[in-house]
Amino acid sequence: MEKYLDIIKNSYSGYFNYLVYEITNFHWENYFYGLLIISLTVWGLEILFPWRKNQKIFRKDFWLDTFYLFFNFFLLNLIALIALSNTAATIFNDLLSVFGLSLSSFQLFDASQLPWYVGLFIFFVVADFIQWGTHILLHRVPFLWNFHKTHHSVKEMGFAAHFRYHWMEPVVYKSILYIPIAIIGGFEIEAVAIVHFFNITIGHLNHANIGWDYGPFKYILNNPKMHIWHHSKEMPNKYGVNFGITLSVWDYLFKTNYIPYSGRDIELGFDDEDTFPKKFINQELYPWSSKENSENKKELS
């Protein structure tokens, strides 16, 4: 037990020192200034080339989403996520060791032995596909949907809406992603950073007030004209459409794509949004306090 407590303590102190270093030192792999530069650039594109010209620069919930941007990218890691992730990974490895195994026992190949661009491509594609499948689970599983409602509570789309999500979402995504990525391990930190910044850029653009679809590349890359329909209040089915994170190709391959016409002015949200709270703290508490979740618990008991 002391071992795990030390991991938690070191995770907190380690990440705090890392965060201070990121803020006080500029370098090319700097996540703090990287996020800031991407956000300001995409916001500038929104201002210069607005798709919905009547939408204000400081749109509805702009400041709430800006807070989510920094909370989910930095503060959440400081509060819980890094410590939780490091502890869970250690517990999992310790359980494997009981049976004389380790993650390397299941490793299909070591990406570090491949040319860097091949390893980069494999990491990007595998991670995106797994996240696409996880995103579908967030819509199909009622318990997970209660967390994902936070993201779908956006009523006016803008770049910072990309990071309006409940803190449980990265827990779900990273838990499901952990084993597959470990099985094809050996990825360089530089490759992870490149993919991470690229995904943030595409994610920001997907939520921005920009009417782009990248022409023929729309069948490969997710884009604002496609992703707006994922946030539509009216859906062609019960669970939703256009689940792509960075790549749209999975939706086209598995027939979950849907763009019936220009979605510029469609209403965003979900059916029971009137019961969903508007403030940050209440949104964070909603999954445990909602009537729907209480009913699900009763059915299981």
Side-chain angles (χ1 to χ4, degrees), residues 67-111:
F67 176 76
Y68 265 112
L69 187 74
F70 287 96
F71 176 83
N72 280 328
F73 201 83
F74 294 108
L75 296 180
L76 178 59
N77 284 332
L78 182 61
I79 294 169
L81 209 56
I82 294 295
L84 179 64
S85 177
N86 290 344
T87 306
T90 303
I91 291 172
F92 181 73
N93 287 326
D94 287 348
L95 288 173
L96 285 177
S97 67
V98 171
F99 301 97
L101 300 171
S102 66
L103 277 177
S104 60
S105 306
F106 304 97
Q107 197 171 70
L108 297 178
F109 57 87
D110 186 347

Side-chain angles (χ1 to χ4, degrees), residues 210-226 248 252 259:
I210 299 172
W212 295 352
D213 65 6
Y214 312 131
F217 294 102
K218 65 185 178 183
Y219 299 108
I220 299 173
L221 283 176
N222 198 0
N223 55 81
K225 284 189 174 180
M226 183 176 194
S248 62
Y252 287 105
I259 312 175

Side-chain angles (χ1 to χ4, degrees), residues 150-258:
T150 298
H151 185 62
H152 282 267
S153 65
V154 175
K155 295 301 292 181
E156 287 187 346
M157 196 74 94
F159 76 95
H162 177 205
F163 275 81
R164 188 198 291 195
Y165 54 76
H166 193 279
W167 66 268
M168 271 296 292
E169 282 204 27
V171 174
V172 175
Y173 275 109
K174 290 185 178 183
S175 297
I176 295 175
L177 190 60
Y178 178 72
I179 295 177
I181 292 300
I183 288 175
I184 51 172
F187 298 109
E188 300 292 336
I189 189 65
E190 292 81 7
V192 175
I194 290 170
V195 169
H196 200 43
F197 280 131
F198 180 70
N199 288 344
I200 290 172
T201 303
I202 296 298
H204 269 32
L205 289 168
N206 288 342
H207 294 84
N209 181 20
I210 299 172
W212 295 352
D213 65 6
Y214 312 131
F217 294 102
K218 65 185 178 183
Y219 299 108
I220 299 173
L221 283 176
N222 198 0
N223 55 81
K225 284 189 174 180
M226 183 176 194
H227 194 67
I228 193 78
W229 283 101
H230 178 72
H231 284 263
S232 175
K233 189 170 183 177
E234 292 187 12
M235 288 288 180
N237 58 56
K238 182 179 178 182
Y239 298 112
V241 294
N242 301 348
F243 298 102
I245 305 300
T246 297
L247 297 176
S248 62
V249 65
W250 313 122
D251 287 308
Y252 287 105
L253 284 174
F254 296 98
K255 309 301 181 185
T256 52
N257 60 298
Y258 181 74

